[in-house]
Amino acid sequence: MSNLPQVYRNVDDLRSALLPLRQEGKTIALVPTMGALHAGHLSLVKKAKEQADIVIVSIFVNPKQFAPGEDFESYPRTEASDLQKLADYDVMGVFIPNAREMYPNGFATSIQIEGPALGLETDHRPHMFNGVATVVAKLLLAVLPDVAVFGEKDYQQLRVIKQLAKDLHLPTRIIGAPTVREVDGLAMSSRNEYLDKDQRKTAVTISQALNIARDALHNGESWIEVQKKALATLKLSGFTTDYFELRHAKHLGHPETAKGARILVAAKVGDTRLIDNIEV
């Protein structure tokens, strides 16, 4: 049985542990997560191991990206099983700070981000990306990794973090890793745990709608028609859709053509909000 990885609870201890390795010329990769790890997260760890000598995984459910009434309190927290899963991946350490470590008394700084952060998610969760940008900047400065790996399932978040690193000249290369899916096509997500049996069956409609929409665009259908059909399908399946949009893959503005664009969706089944996207 593999040994559990070393856990670091504060920034100073983590930096002290990394310093001698950095001095030896070892490269470092960071995989930031909110825990409740599944095969999608572990694929990010695998990708990180290909990119650097040492991998640090962080686990932190970030209060700054949840609005009142969202699922911050109920978000799954599974530290023991997360560490067990990471034991097989030979990561150097797991950074698990608490909110007091990340946002001590008197904490007064936050990052405001626009560009790819505007629209889509922020039309429905306006607070979210400033919270994400602030915590990711803190994590990148705590670890100072050569590389950080994020999943493409949260595609808008990935573009926001690439913009953040570029704008602030952070010395970390941001890498996206492909979405990992269940056998039936549902994108893996910690929030899938909220779905009951019937909702789980319904949830697959999201990835089906994305695939149908992409194929229709390839066949020359207009986006207006494609979008109308997708929204109708989702509604019929019992979803409340926040958005089903075609966007430029890089800056997330409205694209001139479907070539090189991305379709992004956010929709709720019951109380569970799921997001997904597909390359066109």
Side-chain angles (χ1 to χ4, degrees):
M1 194 170 151
S2 313
N3 290 335
L4 293 182
Q6 178 71 43
V7 173
Y8 299 92
R9 302 281 177 187
N10 63 63
V11 174
D12 290 343
D13 288 351
L14 179 61
R15 282 181 175 163
S16 300
L18 288 172
L19 184 62
L21 298 166
R22 213 186 293 282
Q23 286 168 339
E24 285 170 29
K26 302 265 193 238
T27 52
I28 299 165
L30 172 66
V31 180
T33 79
M34 293 208 299
L37 302 183
H38 50 66
H41 295 114
L42 299 172
S43 76
L44 305 183
V45 176
K46 233 184 253 179
K47 179 102 168 164
K49 285 177 72 75
E50 292 164 11
Q51 303 289 329
D53 303 319
I54 288 160
V55 175
I56 298 288
V57 175
S58 67
I59 296 176
F60 180 61
V61 183
N62 176 31
K64 285 203 180 293
Q65 69 195 66
F66 290 81
E70 289 186 346
D71 58 343
F72 175 69
E73 296 301 336
S74 62
Y75 195 87
R77 290 162 173 83
T78 55
E79 183 179 310
S81 74
D82 289 348
L83 291 173
Q84 202 66 60
K85 286 171 187 167
L86 290 170
D88 296 333
Y89 284 81
D90 190 30
V91 301
M92 184 242 152
V94 186
F95 179 43
I96 313 181
N98 60 21
R100 208 168 46 247
E101 174 68 11
M102 295 302 275
Y103 306 116
N105 275 347
F107 186 86
T109 303
S110 78
I111 292 175
Q112 186 178 335
I113 189 153
E114 294 176 358
L118 298 178
L120 300 172
E121 283 297 292
T122 38
D123 287 344
H124 302 274
R125 305 180 69 202
H127 55 285
M128 183 189 164
F129 284 125
N130 291 347
V132 167
T134 302
V135 80
V136 169
K138 284 194 63 108
L139 290 169
L140 293 177
L141 291 167
V143 179
L144 287 176
D146 300 276
V147 174
V149 184
F150 293 84
E152 284 184 357
K153 183 185 78 78
D154 298 279
Y155 191 77
Q156 188 175 14
Q157 173 178 278
L158 173 64
R159 298 312 317 178
V160 164
I161 290 161
K162 280 182 177 267
Q163 189 74 45
L164 168 82
K166 181 178 170 222
D167 290 352
L168 298 184
H169 293 287
L170 296 174
T172 300
R173 196 158 51 93
I174 307 297
I175 291 179
T179 303
V180 176
R181 298 183 179 278
E182 304 284 358
V183 177
D184 62 1
L186 178 67
M188 287 192 178
S189 165
S190 302
R191 287 190 168 99
N192 292 350
E193 288 187 24
Y194 300 155
L195 301 169
D196 66 27
K197 215 164 121 190
D198 290 339
Q199 291 167 344
R200 174 62 188 82
K201 275 186 195 153
T202 303
V204 72
T205 312
I206 285 197
S207 59
Q208 289 169 347
L210 284 170
N211 283 310
I212 291 165
R214 179 192 56 194
D215 294 348
L217 287 173
H218 284 177
N219 292 332
E221 276 190 56
S222 76
W223 172 246
I224 291 170
E225 278 306 304
V226 170
Q227 185 185 43
K228 203 159 80 182
K229 283 183 199 164
L231 290 170
T233 301
L234 289 166
K235 190 176 180 182
L236 206 60
S237 302
F239 277 100
T240 312
T241 306
D242 282 350
Y243 58 81
F244 190 96
E245 290 287 340
L246 183 71
R247 291 298 170 96
H248 189 284
K250 209 163 182 187
H251 55 64
L252 297 185
H254 292 285
E256 309 267 311
T257 68
K259 196 181 175 194
R262 203 129 191 147
I263 307 169
L264 300 99
V265 57
K268 258 177 138 170
V269 57
D271 292 330
T272 305
R273 188 172 183 273
L274 302 174
I275 65 170
D276 201 350
N277 67 89
I278 196 170
E279 194 177 356
V280 180

